[in-house]
Amino acid sequence: MIDVHPHDVRAGHDRAAPPVPAAPGTVLAELTSHVFASLPRSDQRRKGTQYLHGLLTIQGRKSIRNIAHLLGDEVSEQNLHHFISDSTWDWMPIRRALADAVETALPTRAWVVTPMTIPKAGRNSVGVGRHYSPALGQTLNAQRAVGVWAASEAASVPVNWRLHLPSSWLMDTLRRSQAAIPEGVSAESLAECAAEACRETATGWGLRTRPTVLDLGEAPEPLLREAALGPAPLLVRVGPDTPLAVTDLAMTGREQTTLTAHRIMGLARTLRRPVRGGFPFPPGAGEDVPLAAAVRVALPRLTGPGARPLVLLGMGAYGTRWPGELWLSNLATAPLEHLVRLRQLTHRVTQDSAVVADRVGLRDFTGRSFNGWHRHVTLASVAHAAAVLADRTRRLPRGAG
């Protein structure tokens, strides 16, 4: 799960970062031609390209001020601020076009949906609040967002974002007005935020069907029901106390018994076997062959007609407690190796978030507005794609017209 990197705790201060080499001109030109096709005006496309140049070139914080300083006489800070925070261009068609471009170039194996914490120093950034960071083991003043990443074993690119807004923001008329939060935005839990981002990307954009990997730490009941009853292929991380009914005939004497996920996988210890993946397990370990086991299960009270068969995936490493992780999937007939590879894509996203996304300023928006935040992370996602795809040999789709 992407949470927060320790150096990001110094919110509000420019942090040094190695520069990201600008993508070769042909790749950047093809990418911008495709993703900016929805922008109606040439000056918007020009400013979008200038902003990308700043994200890919500047060292340290990718603020509007620093980008304007880099561009010099090409554009003023005021004009750039208006383009990001106060203009009327719609970010959704750009994200949809970005997903299409990434699918052509990588291609995408799965959508990885995971939260991101963005530490902040003050209280005026849209959505900021007090949130617990599992990575740091402490509560931070921060924004929280959910990202949808187009992921393959080779690379991952964020293509969609949803900002989680606490009810304290949505019920405060003044703060809501100052951040220009649209009227249609309502309160939702982090899980609901993730589910909506997932539906929007995986089913609302008309893209090819791909599995979705949801990494929220412990999935709440609505996401579990989505796996059991929904049409989309899902792999969802679950907590050890998640109650499940065993339906696997390999678990002799345990069929139709309701147990916790941890207990089920403990009983399945003898079913473990090494499954080679592209990343070590746990992350940072020297052993690159995790142990994994799968058991057929169902949600209690959802075992009748209409419920999809489910499989509980357990993963661990040699010499560590078993199981180390628990995942639930409706890909019940998929080989164990396929489920492990899907789960390992979360490592790819974590790695690319640290190596690429932070360098192109994904967390660096310093404005206060809802629209500004969305436009910045959209362009930062395009910059991320440009950096990743610069090394690819496959051609990107050309823009319309």
Side-chain angles (χ1 to χ4, degrees):
M1 179 196 318
I2 301 173
D3 183 54
V4 60
H5 300 290
H7 65 260
D8 281 330
V9 176
R10 299 177 297 163
H13 301 280
D14 286 1
R15 60 180 185 276
V20 174
T26 53
V27 172
L28 189 58
E30 289 179 5
L31 184 60
T32 56
S33 176
H34 184 69
V35 302
F36 289 160
S38 63
L39 295 179
R41 303 198 324 246
S42 60
D43 65 307
Q44 292 176 328
R45 296 190 291 273
R46 182 179 68 255
K47 287 177 183 175
T49 301
Q50 291 171 332
Y51 201 84
L52 289 178
H53 177 65
L55 294 175
L56 288 162
T57 306
I58 286 176
Q59 298 188 49
R61 187 175 294 279
K62 313 304 189 291
S63 65
I64 291 176
R65 173 173 296 179
N66 289 343
I67 294 174
H69 179 74
L70 171 73
L71 297 173
D73 295 335
E74 293 183 57
V75 62
S76 69
E77 180 181 346
Q78 181 178 359
N79 286 339
L80 202 60
H81 182 275
H82 175 80
F83 172 70
I84 295 297
S85 297
D86 301 320
S87 187
T88 58
W89 59 271
D90 187 356
W91 55 82
M92 272 303 177
I94 293 177
R95 295 179 184 181
R96 167 64 180 80
L98 177 61
D100 181 66
V102 173
E103 168 64 23
T104 299
L106 288 180
T108 301
R109 177 180 286 276
W111 307 113
V112 175
V113 183
T114 185
M116 181 175 71
T117 300
I118 309 169
K120 292 291 180 179
R123 64 181 301 272
N124 293 321
S125 297
V126 60
V128 72
R130 301 294 293 174
H131 301 294
Y132 178 75
S133 166
L136 297 177
Q138 65 185 74
T139 299
L140 304 174
N141 189 64
Q143 294 169 313
R144 286 198 302 181
V146 171
V148 181
W149 295 65
S152 70
E153 285 81 0
S156 62
V157 174
V159 296
N160 199 11
W161 292 96
R162 193 171 182 88
L163 184 64
H164 179 247
L165 296 174
S167 58
S168 58
W169 271 84
L170 297 174
M171 296 174 64
D172 188 323
T173 304
L174 178 60
R175 295 181 88 189
R176 183 165 188 152
S177 174
Q178 290 174 337
I181 299 173
E183 287 298 323
V185 177
S186 58
E188 57 189 7
S189 67
L190 187 64
E192 290 170 336
C193 184
E196 186 56 37
C198 172
R199 291 189 198 100
E200 185 174 60
T201 310
T203 62
W205 287 357
L207 301 169
R208 291 180 60 185
T209 300
R210 301 292 188 192
T212 297
V213 183
L214 280 149
D215 187 6
L216 299 182
E218 296 187 9
E221 179 67 20
L223 289 182
L224 301 183
R225 293 180 65 87
E226 184 75 18
L229 301 175
L234 294 175
L235 178 65
V236 184
R237 190 196 289 261
V238 297
D241 296 328
T242 302
L244 297 168
V246 178
T247 61
D248 202 319
L249 297 179
M251 302 284 287
T252 305
R254 295 288 180 179
E255 300 95 326
Q256 300 302 325
T257 301
T258 299
L259 301 168
T260 66
H262 186 272
R263 177 61 175 159
I264 293 171
M265 201 48 62
L267 293 170
R269 180 183 296 270
T270 58
L271 301 179
R272 297 179 302 172
R273 60 184 176 88
V275 178
R276 185 167 296 277
F279 292 86
F281 186 90
E287 176 59 66
D288 65 352
V289 184
L291 294 172
V295 176
R296 295 287 190 93
V297 296
L299 292 183
R301 301 181 301 280
L302 282 179
T303 57
R308 299 182 63 172
L310 302 174
V311 62
L312 178 65
L313 171 69
M315 292 185 63
Y318 288 98
T320 63
R321 66 182 180 87
W322 172 264
E325 290 182 2
L326 294 161
W327 296 77
L328 188 70
S329 179
N330 54 23
L331 296 167
T333 61
L336 182 61
E337 290 79 4
H338 179 71
L339 296 175
V340 170
R341 284 196 295 270
L342 287 178
R343 181 267 171 268
Q344 297 285 61
L345 291 177
T346 65
H347 290 331
R348 167 54 63 191
V349 170
T350 299
Q351 179 174 302
D352 288 350
S353 175
V355 174
V356 182
D358 276 358
R359 292 184 182 179
V360 298
L362 190 59
R363 307 174 195 244
D364 283 358
F365 181 62
T366 56
R368 299 180 179 182
S369 75
F370 178 89
N371 290 343
W373 183 89
H374 274 284
R375 293 195 181 105
H376 172 83
V377 296
T378 298
L379 295 177
S381 297
V382 176
H384 179 113
V388 167
L389 299 179
D391 295 331
R392 312 295 295 180
T393 57
R394 296 187 60 181
R395 304 290 288 180
L396 295 167
R398 296 187 177 278

